[in-house]
Amino acid sequence: VPREEIFVTTKVWNSDQGYDSTIRAFETSMDKLGLDYLDLYLIHWPVARSDGYVETWEAMQSLHAAGRIRSIGVSNFQRAHLEHLVQTEVRQADSDHGIATEAWSPLAQGTLSDDPLLEEIASKHGRSVADIALAWNLALDNVVLTRSSNPERIRSNFTVTEIELDDDEITRISNLDRGGRVGPHPETYSLT
């Protein structure tokens, strides 16, 4: 049967998620299949606790751009997982085009203060939840603009660059994303 008449799909297994491991898993699959390209490559599960599916998606995009995969997709993803991928893609697209992503209302208008994970990380660093939220945005290379009339808060905002969140903390905070927004959504905003 001619190759172009066969549609071959396979998946990135859960334990292979992450950028480099996805590339390796893809090459292993291609060797086993004896193919030059794949028609469809899927992320098997989001494995949300590790947030590896974001890096996996980025690796799959690279393989797609290189012509190794015709189509990429996901399976077993829920809405929040998809929205997290989309937001990550927007930041990546901005970066690819030399555009700085600004974190508008990076403190979610004060709604972050009761989050147990942020409280845990803030306690570990001896800082406030607001400081951790700002440090996380900076770790993602987002432009962070805050406003305050409180001199102590203004001084504290200038010191968040001293906070060094580790990769696990950045990932765990990123996993809090549920696709919510503060303010209108660009796809639905209208003057009328």
Side-chain angles (χ1 to χ4, degrees):
V1 177
R3 171 64 182 97
E4 59 273 8
E5 292 183 18
I6 302 172
F7 191 94
V8 180
T9 303
T10 191
K11 298 179 180 180
V12 179
W13 187 243
N14 302 338
S15 59
D16 290 324
Q17 290 199 32
Y19 192 93
D20 293 335
S21 53
T22 295
I23 301 293
R24 284 191 302 272
F26 172 80
E27 295 299 345
T28 298
S29 293
M30 297 306 286
D31 287 345
K32 288 180 178 180
L33 292 167
L35 299 175
D36 294 327
Y37 69 91
L38 192 62
D39 296 288
L40 176 62
Y41 203 34
L42 300 170
I43 301 176
H44 189 232
W45 281 91
V47 192
R49 280 177 288 165
S50 72
D51 203 32
Y53 67 91
V54 174
E55 289 184 11
T56 297
W57 185 252
E58 291 168 354
M60 290 167 57
Q61 288 177 310
S62 296
L63 291 164
H64 179 264
R68 304 286 314 277
I69 305 170
R70 299 275 169 98
S71 298
I72 59 176
V74 299
S75 66
N76 301 302
F77 273 52
Q78 301 295 304
R79 180 182 182 130
H81 303 125
L82 293 172
E83 289 176 347
H84 184 57
L85 276 183
V86 170
Q87 289 190 12
T88 301
E89 284 184 2
V90 169
R91 285 195 306 267
Q92 184 61 52
D94 286 350
S95 177
D96 291 346
H97 291 87
I99 299 169
T101 303
E102 179 183 332
W104 184 82
S105 193
L107 302 178
Q109 298 180 346
T111 62
L112 302 176
S113 59
D114 295 331
D115 186 276
L117 173 63
L118 293 176
E119 288 176 354
E120 171 196 326
I121 294 172
S123 177
K124 175 184 168 188
H125 288 273
R127 302 297 294 254
S128 70
V129 167
D131 290 345
I132 296 303
L134 296 176
W136 171 78
N137 271 284
L138 291 174
L140 296 180
D141 292 326
N142 291 338
V143 174
V144 178
L145 299 176
T146 61
R147 66 176 193 179
S148 178
S149 58
N150 179 321
E152 186 174 321
R153 167 57 44 209
I154 294 169
R155 280 191 291 279
S156 179
N157 288 346
F158 279 112
T159 66
V160 297
T161 57
E162 300 167 3
I163 301 171
E164 292 187 30
L165 299 174
D166 62 34
D167 291 342
D168 181 61
E169 290 169 330
I170 293 167
T171 296
R172 292 171 66 205
I173 294 170
S174 296
N175 283 336
L176 294 175
D177 182 8
R178 299 296 177 256
R181 294 184 62 86
V182 176
H185 195 287
E187 290 184 6
T188 59
Y189 179 74
S190 172
L191 293 174
T192 58

